[in-house]
Amino acid sequence: MKRLLMVFSSLVLLCSCCIAFAAPNEGTRLNQLMDSIGGVWCDKSGHRPVNFSDNKLNGLRISDAQNFAGDKYNGSATITILGKEGTQFVNVYWSTVAGKKTLSLGDSLTFTPKTSDIKHPETVGGLSLDMTMDEVENKYSGNERILTPLETRALCGIDDISWYYENIGLIVTFDNNTFTVDRLIILKGASTAFDRSVLNADSPLDKYAGIYGWKKNPAPGDVLNLGAGEDMSFVYYPQLVMLKLSDVN
Protein backbone atom coordinates (compact mmCIF):
# COMPACT_ATOMS: atom_id res chain seq x y z
CA MET A 1 0.00 0.00 0.00
CA LYS A 2 2.81 2.38 0.90
CA ARG A 3 4.52 1.57 -2.39
CA LEU A 4 1.32 2.40 -4.30
CA LEU A 5 0.95 5.67 -2.44
CA MET A 6 4.56 6.57 -3.21
CA VAL A 7 4.07 5.80 -6.92
CA PHE A 8 0.84 7.84 -7.00
CA SER A 9 2.51 10.77 -5.24
CA SER A 10 5.41 10.66 -7.69
CA LEU A 11 3.02 10.73 -10.64
CA VAL A 12 1.14 13.72 -9.20
CA LEU A 13 4.42 15.56 -8.63
CA LEU A 14 5.58 14.75 -12.17
CA CYS A 15 2.31 16.01 -13.72
CA SER A 16 2.49 19.17 -11.63
CA CYS A 17 6.01 19.84 -12.88
CA CYS A 18 4.95 19.23 -16.48
CA ILE A 19 2.07 21.67 -16.12
CA ALA A 20 4.33 24.21 -14.46
CA PHE A 21 6.82 24.00 -17.30
CA ALA A 22 4.23 23.80 -20.14
CA ALA A 23 2.34 26.98 -19.30
CA PRO A 24 5.33 29.31 -19.34
CA ASN A 25 6.52 27.77 -22.64
CA GLU A 26 3.20 28.54 -24.31
CA GLY A 27 3.15 32.00 -22.78
CA THR A 28 6.72 32.60 -23.89
CA ARG A 29 5.87 31.70 -27.50
CA LEU A 30 2.97 34.14 -27.54
CA ASN A 31 5.09 36.85 -25.94
CA GLN A 32 7.79 36.29 -28.55
CA LEU A 33 5.17 36.44 -31.28
CA MET A 34 3.76 39.75 -30.04
CA ASP A 35 7.28 41.19 -29.66
CA SER A 36 7.97 40.19 -33.26
CA ILE A 37 4.76 41.25 -35.06
CA GLY A 38 2.76 43.38 -32.62
CA GLY A 39 1.14 46.47 -34.13
CA VAL A 40 -1.18 47.38 -37.01
CA TRP A 41 -0.46 46.24 -40.58
CA CYS A 42 -2.18 46.43 -43.97
CA ASP A 43 -1.72 44.89 -47.43
CA LYS A 44 -0.01 46.68 -50.33
CA SER A 45 -3.27 48.41 -51.34
CA GLY A 46 -3.91 49.66 -47.81
CA HIS A 47 -6.72 47.16 -47.24
CA ARG A 48 -7.11 44.15 -44.93
CA PRO A 49 -5.93 45.89 -41.75
CA VAL A 50 -4.35 43.52 -39.24
CA ASN A 51 -3.97 44.40 -35.57
CA PHE A 52 -1.80 42.07 -33.50
CA SER A 53 -2.14 43.00 -29.82
CA ASP A 54 -2.97 41.39 -26.46
CA ASN A 55 -2.46 37.91 -27.96
CA LYS A 56 -5.20 38.59 -30.52
CA LEU A 57 -5.50 39.02 -34.28
CA ASN A 58 -8.16 41.64 -35.01
CA GLY A 59 -9.86 40.83 -31.74
CA LEU A 60 -9.78 37.05 -32.22
CA ARG A 61 -7.87 35.12 -29.58
CA ILE A 62 -4.54 33.55 -30.53
CA SER A 63 -4.31 30.47 -28.32
CA ASP A 64 -0.88 29.28 -29.43
CA ALA A 65 2.07 30.00 -31.70
CA GLN A 66 3.40 26.64 -32.86
CA ASN A 67 6.61 25.98 -34.79
CA PHE A 68 8.01 29.33 -33.65
CA ALA A 69 11.39 30.00 -35.23
CA GLY A 70 13.68 33.02 -35.51
CA ASP A 71 13.73 36.27 -33.59
CA LYS A 72 11.88 39.59 -33.53
CA TYR A 73 13.46 40.64 -36.85
CA ASN A 74 13.07 37.49 -38.95
CA GLY A 75 11.02 34.42 -38.20
CA SER A 76 7.87 32.36 -38.63
CA ALA A 77 5.14 30.62 -36.68
CA THR A 78 1.79 28.88 -37.11
CA ILE A 79 -0.82 30.64 -35.01
CA THR A 80 -4.00 29.04 -33.70
CA ILE A 81 -7.02 31.33 -33.98
CA LEU A 82 -10.22 30.77 -31.99
CA GLY A 83 -13.15 32.27 -33.92
CA LYS A 84 -16.89 31.86 -34.36
CA GLU A 85 -16.34 29.38 -37.19
CA GLY A 86 -14.10 27.23 -35.00
CA THR A 87 -10.35 26.79 -34.69
CA GLN A 88 -8.27 28.00 -37.63
CA PHE A 89 -4.53 27.95 -38.32
CA VAL A 90 -2.64 30.74 -40.07
CA ASN A 91 1.03 30.71 -41.06
CA VAL A 92 2.86 33.95 -40.23
CA TYR A 93 6.24 35.06 -41.58
CA TRP A 94 8.10 38.29 -40.79
CA SER A 95 11.33 39.75 -42.08
CA THR A 96 13.38 42.91 -41.82
CA VAL A 97 15.40 44.26 -44.74
CA ALA A 98 17.30 47.56 -44.50
CA GLY A 99 15.32 48.44 -41.41
CA LYS A 100 11.95 47.91 -43.13
CA LYS A 101 9.72 45.19 -41.75
CA THR A 102 7.23 43.11 -43.74
CA LEU A 103 4.73 40.47 -42.67
CA SER A 104 3.20 37.61 -44.64
CA LEU A 105 0.03 35.72 -43.77
CA GLY A 106 -0.95 32.47 -45.43
CA ASP A 107 0.73 31.76 -48.72
CA SER A 108 0.70 35.08 -50.54
CA LEU A 109 -0.55 38.14 -48.63
CA THR A 110 2.20 40.61 -47.75
CA PHE A 111 1.75 43.40 -45.21
CA THR A 112 3.60 46.52 -44.12
CA PRO A 113 3.01 48.75 -41.08
CA LYS A 114 -0.21 50.73 -41.53
CA THR A 115 0.20 54.51 -41.75
CA SER A 116 -3.26 55.83 -42.72
CA ASP A 117 -6.91 54.86 -43.10
CA ILE A 118 -8.71 54.37 -46.40
CA LYS A 119 -11.72 56.53 -47.19
CA HIS A 120 -14.21 53.94 -48.44
CA PRO A 121 -16.13 55.12 -51.53
CA GLU A 122 -19.25 53.15 -50.54
CA THR A 123 -20.73 51.32 -47.57
CA VAL A 124 -23.76 49.10 -46.99
CA GLY A 125 -26.07 49.58 -44.03
CA GLY A 126 -23.26 51.18 -42.06
CA LEU A 127 -20.79 48.40 -42.89
CA SER A 128 -17.61 48.95 -44.90
CA LEU A 129 -15.02 46.67 -46.42
CA ASP A 130 -12.07 45.93 -44.10
CA MET A 131 -14.22 45.84 -40.95
CA THR A 132 -13.31 43.18 -38.40
CA MET A 133 -15.70 40.46 -37.28
CA ASP A 134 -16.16 42.25 -33.96
CA GLU A 135 -17.08 45.50 -35.72
CA VAL A 136 -19.64 43.74 -37.93
CA GLU A 137 -21.11 41.87 -34.99
CA ASN A 138 -21.35 45.05 -32.91
CA LYS A 139 -23.35 46.66 -35.74
CA TYR A 140 -25.72 43.73 -36.23
CA SER A 141 -25.40 41.81 -33.00
CA GLY A 142 -26.77 38.27 -32.94
CA ASN A 143 -28.58 38.35 -36.30
CA GLU A 144 -26.02 36.53 -38.43
CA ARG A 145 -26.25 32.95 -39.69
CA ILE A 146 -22.89 31.37 -40.52
CA LEU A 147 -22.98 29.73 -43.95
CA THR A 148 -20.65 27.05 -45.27
CA PRO A 149 -18.96 27.62 -48.66
CA LEU A 150 -21.57 25.33 -50.25
CA GLU A 151 -24.46 27.31 -48.76
CA THR A 152 -22.88 30.62 -49.75
CA ARG A 153 -22.37 29.42 -53.32
CA ALA A 154 -26.02 28.39 -53.54
CA LEU A 155 -27.11 31.89 -52.52
CA CYS A 156 -24.64 34.12 -54.35
CA GLY A 157 -22.15 32.08 -56.37
CA ILE A 158 -19.22 32.75 -53.99
CA ASP A 159 -17.36 29.73 -52.65
CA ASP A 160 -16.57 31.04 -49.17
CA ILE A 161 -17.66 30.99 -45.54
CA SER A 162 -20.00 33.92 -44.91
CA TRP A 163 -22.35 35.57 -42.46
CA TYR A 164 -25.91 35.84 -43.77
CA TYR A 165 -28.25 38.52 -42.45
CA GLU A 166 -31.47 37.10 -43.82
CA ASN A 167 -33.61 39.78 -42.15
CA ILE A 168 -32.07 42.51 -44.34
CA GLY A 169 -30.88 40.46 -47.33
CA LEU A 170 -27.13 40.96 -46.79
CA ILE A 171 -24.23 38.50 -47.05
CA VAL A 172 -20.79 39.37 -45.60
CA THR A 173 -17.66 37.41 -46.50
CA PHE A 174 -14.33 37.64 -44.68
CA ASP A 175 -10.72 37.23 -45.76
CA ASN A 176 -9.42 33.80 -44.67
CA ASN A 177 -6.24 35.18 -43.09
CA THR A 178 -7.14 38.61 -41.68
CA PHE A 179 -10.81 37.92 -40.83
CA THR A 180 -11.78 41.32 -42.25
CA VAL A 181 -14.66 42.02 -44.65
CA ASP A 182 -13.76 41.53 -48.33
CA ARG A 183 -17.31 41.45 -49.81
CA LEU A 184 -20.68 43.00 -48.98
CA ILE A 185 -23.42 41.32 -51.04
CA ILE A 186 -26.93 42.78 -51.35
CA LEU A 187 -29.49 40.19 -52.48
CA LYS A 188 -32.57 40.89 -54.56
CA GLY A 189 -35.47 41.96 -52.33
CA ALA A 190 -33.14 43.27 -49.59
CA SER A 191 -34.31 45.93 -47.19
CA THR A 192 -30.79 47.40 -47.04
CA ALA A 193 -28.95 49.43 -49.70
CA PHE A 194 -25.70 51.21 -50.51
CA ASP A 195 -25.48 54.16 -48.13
CA ARG A 196 -24.20 56.73 -50.63
CA SER A 197 -26.47 55.96 -53.57
CA VAL A 198 -29.42 54.37 -51.70
CA LEU A 199 -29.52 51.77 -54.49
CA ASN A 200 -29.57 47.98 -54.33
CA ALA A 201 -30.18 44.88 -56.48
CA ASP A 202 -33.77 45.97 -57.14
CA SER A 203 -32.68 49.33 -58.58
CA PRO A 204 -32.51 49.83 -62.38
CA LEU A 205 -28.94 49.93 -63.67
CA ASP A 206 -29.35 53.33 -65.32
CA LYS A 207 -29.51 54.89 -61.84
CA TYR A 208 -25.92 53.93 -61.01
CA ALA A 209 -23.66 55.69 -63.51
CA GLY A 210 -24.51 59.28 -62.62
CA ILE A 211 -24.01 58.75 -58.91
CA TYR A 212 -20.63 57.02 -59.18
CA GLY A 213 -19.29 59.03 -62.12
CA TRP A 214 -19.07 56.13 -64.57
CA LYS A 215 -19.06 56.99 -68.29
CA LYS A 216 -21.63 54.30 -69.07
CA ASN A 217 -24.49 52.55 -67.36
CA PRO A 218 -23.44 49.20 -65.93
CA ALA A 219 -24.76 46.06 -67.60
CA PRO A 220 -25.30 42.60 -66.11
CA GLY A 221 -21.87 40.97 -65.90
CA ASP A 222 -19.92 44.23 -65.41
CA VAL A 223 -17.41 44.93 -62.63
CA LEU A 224 -16.77 48.66 -62.26
CA ASN A 225 -14.14 50.40 -60.18
CA LEU A 226 -15.12 52.79 -57.38
CA GLY A 227 -11.57 53.86 -56.52
CA ALA A 228 -9.50 53.14 -53.40
CA GLY A 229 -9.09 49.49 -54.44
CA GLU A 230 -12.83 48.74 -54.31
CA ASP A 231 -15.24 47.54 -57.02
CA MET A 232 -18.96 47.17 -57.53
CA SER A 233 -19.86 43.91 -59.24
CA PHE A 234 -22.98 43.33 -61.35
CA VAL A 235 -21.85 39.85 -62.40
CA TYR A 236 -24.92 38.25 -60.79
CA TYR A 237 -27.38 41.11 -61.35
CA PRO A 238 -30.38 41.12 -60.90
CA GLN A 239 -29.99 38.39 -58.26
CA LEU A 240 -27.51 40.55 -56.33
CA VAL A 241 -25.09 43.47 -56.41
CA MET A 242 -21.71 43.17 -54.69
CA LEU A 243 -19.29 45.67 -53.13
CA LYS A 244 -15.86 44.04 -52.96
CA LEU A 245 -12.13 44.49 -52.78
CA SER A 246 -10.73 44.79 -56.29
CA ASP A 247 -8.45 41.76 -55.91
CA VAL A 248 -11.21 39.22 -55.09
CA ASN A 249 -13.71 37.63 -57.48
Side-chain angles (χ1 to χ4, degrees):
M1 187 67 179
K2 285 185 178 181
R3 182 173 297 176
L4 286 174
L5 286 173
M6 289 177 66
V7 170
F8 179 75
S9 300
S10 299
L11 287 173
V12 170
L13 181 60
L14 180 60
C15 290
S16 299
C17 291
C18 290
I19 292 172
F21 281 111
N25 286 341
E26 181 177 317
T28 298
R29 287 197 299 267
L30 290 177
N31 289 337
Q32 288 176 317
L33 180 72
M34 290 298 112
D35 287 343
S36 303
I37 63 174
V40 183
W41 307 75
C42 64
D43 68 14
K44 61 182 181 181
S45 63
H47 287 287
R48 296 183 177 88
V50 175
N51 186 348
F52 282 104
S53 62
D54 301 323
N55 294 340
K56 295 178 180 178
L57 188 168
N58 283 340
L60 300 176
R61 183 188 165 204
I62 302 173
S63 65
D64 195 10
Q66 300 176 358
N67 305 318
F68 187 97
D71 53 34
K72 65 184 300 182
Y73 301 104
N74 300 278
S76 63
T78 300
I79 58 177
T80 305
I81 306 292
L82 304 181
K84 293 190 67 169
E85 292 81 8
T87 301
Q88 300 187 56
F89 303 93
V90 177
N91 292 322
V92 185
Y93 310 89
W94 59 95
S95 62
T96 307
V97 178
K100 294 183 178 180
K101 199 161 190 175
T102 59
L103 176 76
S104 295
L105 292 178
D107 297 325
S108 58
L109 286 175
T110 300
F111 297 80
T112 55
K114 184 178 179 181
T115 57
S116 61
D117 291 323
I118 285 178
K119 184 176 181 180
H120 299 284
E122 187 57 280
T123 56
V124 179
L127 300 180
S128 69
L129 299 177
D130 296 329
M131 275 187 164
T132 66
M133 288 182 166
D134 280 350
E135 289 171 332
V136 174
E137 193 167 29
N138 288 339
K139 181 68 178 179
Y140 293 109
S141 179
N143 292 320
E144 74 276 1
R145 180 157 66 92
I146 299 174
L147 301 183
T148 65
L150 185 63
E151 292 171 323
T152 307
R153 191 188 319 130
L155 273 175
C156 63
I158 303 299
D159 191 13
D160 207 350
I161 292 175
S162 68
W163 291 5
Y164 179 32
Y165 294 90
E166 189 172 4
N167 58 322
I168 58 173
L170 177 66
I171 294 176
V172 182
T173 69
F174 297 89
D175 182 88
N176 290 329
N177 294 299
T178 65
F179 309 99
T180 53
V181 177
D182 56 10
R183 301 181 191 89
L184 292 166
I185 303 166
I186 304 176
L187 300 176
K188 187 175 180 61
S191 60
T192 192
F194 297 114
D195 294 320
R196 176 181 162 193
S197 65
V198 201
L199 300 174
N200 58 23
D202 295 291
S203 305
L205 293 181
D206 61 8
K207 298 287 186 183
Y208 280 87
I211 293 174
Y212 296 113
W214 297 325
K215 293 181 180 180
K216 66 167 188 172
N217 291 328
D222 283 349
V223 178
L224 299 177
N225 186 254
L226 292 168
E230 301 182 13
D231 291 343
M232 191 171 290
S233 171
F234 300 91
V235 169
Y236 300 100
Y237 182 88
Q239 284 74 33
L240 61 91
V241 179
M242 184 190 313
L243 177 66
K244 69 181 188 69
L245 295 181
S246 297
D247 58 2
V248 300
N249 295 325

